[in-house]
Amino acid sequence: MTWYRPGERGDGVVRVGECNDWSFAVEYGDSTGDDLLAEISRDGAEVVRYVPMQEHPPASVDYAHDGVFLCGFGLREEVWRWGLEPDLLLPALVEAGILSPDGKTYLPPEDEDYRTGYRRSLGVVERRFGLSLPRGCLEDARLPAYAVCGTPRMTLDG
């Protein structure tokens, strides 16, 4: 897969699947999901998007429902929230000991390992939206792939 060509967008591929009552997508390369989050959530659908990163920029979580981008935040940067309802998850973040009720003060110690903080915040998102995919859905399934931008080579050989 070609990832970068000077002067052009990179290549992007999405793999999609279903498991239990969930539909899910995993993007590789030049992601387009953030551009379409509200659109994907139209007609009553709920969309939770997780963008994994290391420390900086932080991993982030976004949520859209029924065609509206409602909220998002960076993990370990939860004091900066965005969207139409940026405080939608604030009560859950407070209950989990991540933020104070004012939403502006962190409760964990500053020297807490970022991975511990990530797990705590992801746990909030998982519980709030009832997210659960058995490991086998991702590890054992052959998921179809679709090009979402660029001209990716869609085979694994050479």
Side-chain angles (χ1 to χ4, degrees):
M1 179 181 302
T2 303
W3 296 98
Y4 175 74
R5 289 178 299 282
E8 298 179 36
R9 268 191 91 158
D11 295 331
V13 173
V14 64
R15 297 180 79 83
V16 297
E18 289 182 57
C19 187
N20 300 331
D21 291 333
W22 287 100
S23 297
F24 59 93
V26 179
E27 288 185 298
Y28 302 90
D30 201 351
S31 173
T32 60
D34 59 337
D35 300 337
L36 303 172
L37 202 64
E39 183 181 340
I40 293 167
S41 75
R42 69 186 184 280
D43 300 326
E46 290 184 280
V47 176
V48 177
R49 178 174 181 256
Y50 169 65
V51 180
M53 300 293 276
Q54 294 299 318
E55 288 188 65
H56 283 281
S60 62
V61 175
D62 297 309
Y63 171 67
H65 179 248
D66 206 15
V68 179
F69 179 84
L70 292 174
C71 64
F73 56 86
L75 279 70
R76 300 288 291 176
E77 294 188 359
E78 295 86 358
V79 295
W80 295 292
R81 298 173 303 281
W82 51 81
L84 187 63
E85 296 182 35
D87 292 341
L88 181 69
L89 297 178
L90 181 57
L93 292 168
V94 170
E95 185 178 324
I98 296 167
L99 294 176
S100 65
D102 68 4
K104 299 176 183 175
T105 307
Y106 287 106
L107 296 177
E110 276 190 34
D111 63 348
E112 178 182 70
D113 182 73
Y114 77 92
R115 292 170 293 200
T116 301
Y118 273 29
R119 284 191 294 272
R120 189 185 349 265
S121 290
L122 287 174
V124 165
V125 173
E126 178 184 358
R127 287 185 299 278
R128 170 59 173 79
F129 298 111
L131 302 176
S132 177
L133 282 176
R135 188 182 274 297
C137 285
L138 299 173
E139 290 180 346
D140 302 333
R142 291 189 52 96
L143 303 175
Y146 303 93
V148 292
C149 66
T151 54
R153 187 175 50 231
M154 298 296 282
T155 62
L156 296 177
D157 57 340

